[in-house]
Amino acid sequence: MDEERRAELERIKASYPAGTLLDEAQVPPYTLLDPLICADGTPVTEAATWWDKRRPEVFRLCEEQLFGRSPEPRAGMRFELRSVDRQALEGRATRKEVRIYLTDGDLPKIDLLLYIPNDVSRPPATWVGLNYLGNQSITDDPGVSLFDGWVPDMGRFGRGDMGIVDNRATERSRNTWPGSMPVEQLLARGYAVASACCGDIAPDRPDVFDHGVFTAYLKQGETPAPDEWGVLAAWAWGMCRMLDYLVTDPDIDPARVIAHGTSRLGKAAFWAGALDTRWGAISPNESGCGGAALSRRRFGETVARINTTFPHWFCEAFHAYNGNEDALPFDQHMLIALSAPRPIYIASAEDDLWSDPRGEFLGALGADPVYRLLGTEGLAVSEMPAVHGPVHSPLAYHLRAGGHGVNDWDWEQFMDWADERVG
Ligand code: GCU
């Protein structure tokens, strides 16, 4: 490592809170639970035992002690096609705006934006990902409705230029966050794209339980029980309601719908994939703590740190493991295994130490035996690949140069892999 890179890494490390474990040599010894041993000690040697016995056990652990249980959708849930333009984006795509009413009333709702490429010979595969600032923020298409709900004040992040005023999206917020779901690139590669604002489902703030989907299930001032859903589970659940609509739309292929998300939205994408096996593939990028990264490593963001900074994200039961990772009855490789045997792409960035890139790789590796048991090739490597050496097996992994986020190189990899694995 040259001097310049060493200095850069030191700068990156110094930017994290004091006391953060950022040195591989200091990772404490830990024992990884075997995903293929049932709670009663029975080894899982056949796919049927995974499906009938072990997967339900693992699912329940992650449900009751990590994300929290979510309810069945309400009777009365319905879809309203609010606009269709078959010549959107200069004729390249069909644009639909669909409102998903989550009860028989007007609220809560999710406004889904869908683009379908026009020049395709069969109904395409669809990438689904939430956005932070409203559907208008991912495209310059003036026909997209402005999001009408609460969004984070970007000025607080030094991004006063993103068109958010008093926590509301203005016209200036159009196309200010295009990378999160790169509509044009995905369409050009023959994919459909669906998105909705995560804040439409549940605004990312501690008083969230009085807002969004929670209002259909909780009284004002009530909070979920310790094993019930937090915000990440609500986002995942909302993605599944988007899927409820998508599988009814004849313009896309219902068997090839991919759950994508970066960071906190990557954690939600994982849980969406686990909740609902209709997702054809899962693409969690830099999902870190509570996502792909093994909690027992305590590298970068820890369980205690995430539960303290974002107390509304996971279920309350998860807080019992603050500083007590070895007591967890699961680790994140088991969350990953809940997607098996469906293709999944776990991606990291080299300088995103907060997300623990090695822990994310080891999470993927830990899920590999389940993928293999279910008859796929699993993860094609057993050593962490070099930077920009993507591994596009069904259980895929890459490490990108640079810091936290998602960029064009990531998306090129995701699409190359999906071309091959999702068809
Ligand atoms: C914070 C948080 C992470 C999360 C990230 C993001 O850094 O600690 O857990 O993944 O935000 O969503 O960008």
Side-chain angles (χ1 to χ4, degrees):
M1 197 188 301
D2 64 25
E3 266 317 301
E4 209 175 306
R5 175 70 182 142
R6 205 183 306 274
E8 193 184 0
L9 270 179
E10 285 314 313
R11 263 198 309 279
I12 293 166
K13 289 183 177 177
S15 72
Y16 297 124
T20 306
L21 197 165
L22 296 165
D23 180 355
E24 193 58 35
Q26 285 171 19
V27 171
Y30 61 91
T31 308
L32 203 58
L33 299 167
D34 187 334
L36 292 176
I37 304 274
C38 296
D40 65 6
T42 317
V44 181
T45 53
E46 285 172 17
T49 319
W50 170 257
W51 290 115
D52 299 344
K53 187 168 176 183
R54 184 59 177 153
R55 188 182 190 278
E57 279 179 5
V58 173
F59 179 83
R60 218 167 306 119
L61 290 171
C62 293
E63 183 184 44
E64 293 175 358
Q65 310 211 35
L66 181 62
F67 291 104
R69 288 187 289 115
S70 43
E72 288 300 315
R74 278 284 176 80
M77 181 180 130
R78 64 204 191 280
F79 312 122
E80 180 191 7
L81 185 57
R82 291 168 71 90
S83 72
V84 183
D85 181 351
R86 297 223 167 252
Q87 295 302 320
L89 301 172
E90 290 153 357
R92 289 190 294 282
T94 293
R95 181 191 63 241
K96 300 187 189 183
E97 291 187 306
V98 177
R99 181 160 288 183
I100 304 171
Y101 294 98
L102 296 164
T103 64
D104 53 12
D106 288 346
L107 289 172
K109 53 85 180 160
I110 303 171
D111 280 336
L112 180 149
L113 171 67
L114 172 63
Y115 286 104
I116 304 137
N118 280 337
D119 188 17
V120 285
S121 53
R122 60 169 178 151
T126 305
W127 287 84
V128 181
L130 300 176
N131 60 69
Y132 291 111
L133 300 185
N135 295 335
Q136 81 291 338
S137 68
I138 63 168
T139 170
D140 62 3
D141 178 353
V144 175
S145 304
L146 270 188
F147 180 54
D148 56 1
W150 182 94
V151 289
D153 170 10
M154 297 307 292
R156 277 182 44 226
F157 304 99
R159 295 304 309 268
D161 58 330
M162 289 182 85
I164 304 304
V165 178
D166 295 335
N167 297 102
R168 299 282 152 182
T170 69
E171 282 294 330
R172 281 189 300 114
S173 68
R174 292 190 183 280
N175 206 26
T176 48
W177 206 322
S180 59
M181 287 306 282
V183 171
E184 294 282 358
Q185 287 101 305
L186 287 163
L187 290 171
R189 293 274 296 254
Y191 290 102
V193 191
S195 193
C197 183
C198 61
D200 217 3
I201 304 168
D204 193 359
R205 48 191 240 212
D207 68 350
V208 61
F209 301 116
D210 286 333
H211 301 277
V213 297
F214 294 108
T215 58
Y217 297 91
L218 294 171
K219 294 199 189 72
Q220 185 81 14
E222 247 179 18
T223 52
D227 64 346
E228 286 179 345
W229 56 350
V231 165
L232 296 172
W235 290 343
W237 182 93
M239 289 176 77
C240 296
R241 304 295 70 81
M242 293 163 73
L243 184 59
D244 289 340
Y245 166 75
L246 290 168
V247 299
T248 69
D249 190 318
D251 287 340
I252 63 125
D253 182 348
R256 294 184 298 141
V257 184
I258 307 165
H260 171 82
T262 290
S263 280
R264 63 198 74 187
L265 300 179
K267 306 181 213 285
F270 260 124
W271 191 235
L275 275 177
D276 198 325
T277 52
R278 291 175 303 170
W279 293 102
I282 301 97
S283 158
N285 178 53
E286 294 163 32
S287 56
C289 182
L294 295 176
S295 297
R296 278 173 170 73
R297 283 169 50 80
R298 302 153 174 88
F299 190 103
E301 187 173 30
T302 59
V303 172
R305 172 70 65 173
I306 204 166
N307 282 334
T308 305
T309 316
F310 305 101
H312 52 297
W313 278 9
F314 295 96
C315 69
E316 209 184 303
F318 189 49
H319 295 221
Y321 303 101
N322 291 352
N324 194 18
E325 288 84 351
D326 289 325
L328 280 163
F330 60 88
D331 210 329
Q332 301 307 117
H333 62 310
M334 290 161 66
L335 171 69
I336 299 171
L338 291 174
S339 291
R342 292 164 292 163
I344 189 164
Y345 199 137
I346 290 163
S348 310
E350 190 185 20
D351 294 347
D352 179 20
L353 300 179
W354 191 240
S355 299
D356 186 12
R358 176 167 293 278
E360 294 181 313
F361 172 75
L362 292 174
L365 191 62
D368 172 75
V370 180
Y371 270 79
R372 289 185 190 268
L373 177 83
L374 299 182
T376 83
E377 185 199 341
L379 179 62
V381 294
S382 53
E383 295 295 327
M384 191 160 169
V387 172
H388 291 176
V391 179
H392 286 175
S393 34
L395 176 46
Y397 178 83
H398 80 223
L399 179 65
R400 166 177 59 70
H404 190 63
V406 61
N407 69 14
D408 287 351
W409 187 85
D410 291 312
W411 276 106
E412 288 301 319
Q413 307 313 310
F414 301 154
M415 290 188 287
D416 286 352
W417 164 80
D419 285 355
E420 191 182 341
R421 299 291 171 189
V422 188

